[in-house]
Amino acid sequence: MIIKQPTETTLHEAFSLLASGNVIGMPTETVYGLAANALDDQAIAKIYACKNRPQFNPLIIHIADLEAAVRIGIFTEDALKLAQAFWPPSERAGSLTLVLSRTKDCPISLLATAGLETIAIRIPNHPVALDLLSQCHMPLAAPSANRSNSISPTSAKDVLESLGDKIPLILDGGPCAVGLESTILDMTTSIPTILRPGGLSIESIEEIIGPIQKQHHNQSIKAPGMMKRHYAPSIPLRLNALDCDLEEALLGFGQTDLPAHLNLSATGDLQEAAANLFRMLKELDNPNFVKIAVMPIPNHGIGLAINDRLSRAAAI
């Protein structure tokens, strides 16, 4: 049985799995999360593959404490007030995710943040999640532990029914106390902006920092549930390229006789390609080239997400 009670032994097992690049089911107060090492591109790619997620949404990064949070996100004065008010160990702890600018040396996987310069962070208000985060000493990306377009899981059994054939371990933390995803608040706008209503009320937030605003329809992607167009290079993308001009950077896939500057996966592994996508796009986005040409990517499995991401980045 892959559902296990959170004993010292099973927490160590969970840590070992995460450290080796695996995903696990993790309880939080909101919903159960599909957790992976947020520093590991390959592990993040496994999240998308397990969920059969059709696009590369930014993922929420779960951390153990405020000290860990300030290493990856830049806190404004209001953001700090909210973190101190609503993140554990506060007695008022609630389900709040803050979207902040990434720190200059932020080590979080670019795939986890969908190539953006912002990052969504929270501290889960659940003893099992906090024990795991404290013991494993790594930030965890943890979207809901269910296949895309299915109901979010609020028990270990729900996770088993949705993803039981794809993950090696589910920590059973009992039924979720909140059962609704966290409230997401963008702290990078001039007036803090609600990106997703959730387990913490707007009224509670406004008690701490004053009036906030609702998301605008044309607002850029910064958090889960806001899919539109992600990070795009500063130079144009040419998709399904079968050749390459002298002034183009060629992003390859699989075995090829073309002179690829970088190759998403020389072996044609789509999961490896997903893990390399954002990093390689950024590397090729430089003044040495006028355009990035991308070789064809198979349009199945996680390749659907890769092609979706590339088509959005190529949009004018």
Side-chain angles (χ1 to χ4, degrees), residues 15 18 22 59 79 92 102 189 235 263 268 305:
F15 164 66
L18 291 165
N22 281 292
L59 303 177
R92 299 184 63 187
R102 290 174 65 120
T189 51
I235 56 179
N263 196 315

Side-chain angles (χ1 to χ4, degrees), residues 67-83:
E67 183 180 355
V70 298
R71 290 196 290 267
I72 61 175
I74 299 174
F75 279 75
T76 62
E77 182 178 349
D78 280 347
L80 186 59
K81 288 179 182 178
L82 289 170

Side-chain angles (χ1 to χ4, degrees), residues 18 22-36 47 50-51 53 59-60 62 122 124 126 128-129 132 140-147 152-156 158-160 163 167 169-174 176 181:
L18 291 165
N22 281 292
V23 295
I24 67 164
M26 177 184 77
T28 78
E29 82 283 13
T30 56
V31 298
Y32 273 70
L34 182 63
I47 287 179
C50 284
K51 287 178 65 69
R53 198 163 182 149
L59 303 177
I60 294 174
H62 294 66
R122 86 181 192 98
H126 193 288
V128 176
L132 179 62
L140 298 177
S144 58
N146 58 287
R147 296 179 191 273
S152 294
T154 57
S155 71
D158 291 342
V159 181
L160 181 65
L163 296 175
I167 56 179
L169 174 65
I170 303 167
L171 291 175
D172 189 353
C176 297
E181 285 86 353

